[in-house]
Amino acid sequence: MSRMPLGALVVASGISSAGVMMTLLAIPWFVLQSTGSGTKTGLVTAAEVLGLMVAALLGGPIVDRVGTRRASVGADLLTTVTVLLIPLAMGTTGLSLPGLIALSFVMGVSRGPADTAKQVLLPGVAGLGDVRMSRAASAVEAAMRTGRMVGGPAAGALIALIGPIPVLYVDTGALLLSSALVFTLIPAAAGPPRPSSGGYLAELREGLGYVKRDALLRAVVGMLMLTNSLDFGLLGVLYPAYGDQVLHSTALIGAMITAVAAGALLGSAIYGWVGHRLSRRTAILVAVGIEGAPRFALLALEPAPAVLLAGLVVAGIGAGALNPIVLPAVYERVPEAVRGRVLSLLVGGVLAAMPLGSMAAGLLLDGVGLVGALATFGGLYLIASVFPAIFRVWRGLDDPAPIGGDRPVSQGARTD
């Protein structure tokens, strides 16, 4: 048994996340700096999110048909070309705002299949190394969060040093390295077998069918749609308002985001260490209970910065455990041949709800003020956090019944 493929996937995921974070900061910074328009900046940012959503909802059959390793490498290379076109166009013919919006959309479309393919590869590479799924998922989650933690400050320093557009060259280097690791160190056999072609629409309907038939998958998507939309509204609207009205500091907003990220990294590591000993249903109750409503209550109390940051680290611990809890159960329930399209649909559903959180946060901020908005969001999070306790369907986290007769986990990966 070799753990090198799992190590390659972990490192590739971390490097890719760092590059993505750099681009997510560099492009909006450039637009805001060059145009002074928040609306134009929002359009460019929204274009990439829209591309991610489209890719997630429609790209799953392509990942399954092309093959996961090939899809991961190909999508990373396509993203590399798209990102590279931005500084090249800026330095030669120039790039209009509509052109930048179009390229941002294409970036989102290409990043989506790459992320899905890496998720589908996870059970196979875990099995090759005889590693528990909870531990493998935690390792990938920790690597991605580390990449975001490193990528954000690195982007800020590089933007100040060389400007936002040259930072995109760093992202292209990260993408190339990520694709090289996957191509050279992960065998094609780590991915699930490609399905026999039944036509794109038929395969898309098949993926939808698995989600419709599985009550637990629907429950997971429903809860994540609500919680992620609340998180998105907090990050995009309520955090900036909190920094302006309470902290009177943009630097402390960055410290708040870093505190949550540091806690999430710790949470991923803790769950990877002891998660296999816990009931998943209990674990998700604890995780959502820690990272959800208490965070909004803490913000509403307006504590001293040191107390606030310490509390956000604790909240982040819960956030970091969520994906490692949920993903192994999804892998066990979904046959190998359709995991790409099912995972894409799950991610697409979550992404589709996120803009609603921003709009709701803005309306509440204008209507009832910051504390009222935080209280409302905290109440909704509290409702979501008790779903696993009151609905019997969540018992399926600990007793996942595979659909369709396939082996629940590929390549012998352990889930105990």
Side-chain angles (χ1 to χ4, degrees), residues 31-294:
V31 177
L32 189 60
Q33 186 182 62
S34 58
T35 67
S37 170
T39 301
K40 292 177 180 178
T41 304
L43 284 172
V44 172
T45 304
E48 183 166 2
V49 175
L50 180 61
L52 281 167
M53 186 180 70
V54 169
L57 291 173
L58 302 178
I62 297 174
V63 172
D64 286 332
R65 185 178 297 187
V66 170
T68 47
R69 188 183 71 156
R70 189 180 299 176
S72 176
V73 173
D76 275 342
L77 292 178
L78 177 58
T79 307
T80 302
V81 173
T82 308
V83 174
L84 191 59
L85 282 175
I86 296 174
L88 291 178
M90 291 291 185
T92 53
T93 61
L95 185 62
S96 65
L97 180 65
L100 183 56
I101 290 173
L103 287 175
S104 296
F105 176 79
V106 175
M107 271 195 292
V109 170
S110 57
R111 286 194 198 276
D115 293 342
T116 298
K118 289 182 178 66
Q119 287 183 326
V120 179
L121 280 169
L122 180 57
V125 296
L128 289 174
D130 193 28
V131 176
R132 290 187 179 94
M133 272 302 307
S134 59
R135 187 160 293 175
S138 295
V140 171
E141 181 74 9
M144 293 175 67
R145 291 188 179 275
T146 301
R148 293 175 198 138
M149 285 180 59
V150 172
L158 288 171
I159 288 170
L161 184 64
I162 61 178
I165 294 302
V167 171
L168 300 181
Y169 289 113
V170 180
D171 186 15
T172 61
L175 287 164
L176 287 173
L177 182 55
S178 174
S179 60
L181 286 169
V182 172
F183 181 74
T184 58
L185 297 179
I186 298 179
R194 282 184 271 173
S196 57
S197 178
Y200 172 82
L201 291 178
E203 292 175 3
L204 188 62
R205 285 194 298 270
E206 187 179 10
L208 282 168
Y210 277 103
V211 177
K212 289 179 180 178
R213 290 194 298 269
D214 194 296
L216 178 63
L217 292 182
R218 296 197 306 272
V220 168
V221 171
M223 188 179 79
L224 292 182
M225 287 176 72
L226 177 55
T227 57
N228 276 270
S229 66
L230 296 173
D231 288 335
F232 199 66
L234 176 65
L235 182 62
V237 177
L238 299 184
Y239 267 2
Y242 196 86
D244 179 51
Q245 298 179 24
V246 178
L247 299 176
H248 309 293
S249 169
T250 55
L252 282 175
I253 297 175
M256 290 164 63
I257 295 171
T258 301
V260 174
L265 180 61
L266 179 59
S268 299
I270 291 172
Y271 189 77
W273 178 35
V274 300
H276 63 283
R277 302 176 185 175
L278 306 174
S279 156
R280 288 175 186 160
R281 191 183 183 200
T282 301
I284 201 168
L285 277 168
V286 172
V288 179
I290 290 174
E291 70 102 15

